[in-house]
Amino acid sequence: MVHVLSSRILLRPTDPERSRAFYGEQLGLAVHREFGTGTERGTVYFLGGGFLELSGRSEAPPDPAVRLWMQVPDVAAAQEELREKGVEIVRPPVQEPWGLLEMWIADPDGTPIVLVEVPADHPLRYRPGI
């Protein structure tokens, strides 16, 4: 087995400043570190158990098969907070057949982001012996 020390998602946005404003200001992700200088600097955000790195620049939006899945404690509260910050809600919260509450948004390049709340009685929260 490969021993993984850390993990991150790497996005190359079409407009780095616009994407930094979205992830840092609108989503409120905390900055882990930055590197380089000016508008082309790279920014690494904390993303729960991993990191999201915005660096470089792409001429085209990302492949639509790329998606981000972010777990939040309360998806209704996240919806309200994001609406207040001007984030478009692509799909409001819905309880899926598999039991998770999911809301969909997208970053400025159209990368789909699924915000997920795991209900208290869902099997993902079941921890035998705890």
Side-chain angles (χ1 to χ4, degrees):
M1 175 178 11
V2 174
H3 184 77
V4 177
L5 298 175
S6 72
S7 62
R8 74 179 58 189
I9 296 164
L10 174 62
L11 294 180
R12 300 218 185 274
T14 58
D15 183 337
E17 284 296 319
R18 181 181 67 176
S19 291
R20 269 192 288 281
F22 176 79
Y23 285 102
E25 296 167 24
Q26 290 184 291
L27 286 189
L29 297 181
V31 173
H32 171 63
R33 71 182 190 94
E34 291 189 300
F35 53 92
T37 59
T39 59
E40 299 300 312
R41 73 188 179 281
T43 306
V44 180
Y45 296 96
F46 284 106
L47 195 60
F51 300 97
L52 172 65
E53 179 179 324
L54 301 179
S55 63
R57 181 186 291 266
S58 176
E59 296 301 317
D63 187 303
V66 173
R67 296 174 188 272
L68 301 178
W69 191 93
M70 298 180 189
Q71 186 176 337
V72 297
D74 183 336
V75 74
Q79 177 184 23
E80 183 63 30
E81 181 181 339
L82 293 173
R83 270 200 181 133
E84 288 174 5
K85 292 181 177 182
V87 175
E88 178 186 352
I89 308 301
V90 174
R91 191 190 81 174
V94 171
Q95 183 149 22
E96 300 291 354
W98 44 89
L100 299 176
L101 296 164
E102 295 186 4
M103 177 177 73
W104 301 347
I105 62 174
D107 81 358
D109 284 327
T111 301
I113 300 171
V114 181
L115 296 178
V116 178
E117 177 183 338
V118 180
D121 62 346
H122 193 277
L124 284 176
R125 290 222 184 174
Y126 177 68
R127 300 222 164 86
I130 296 178

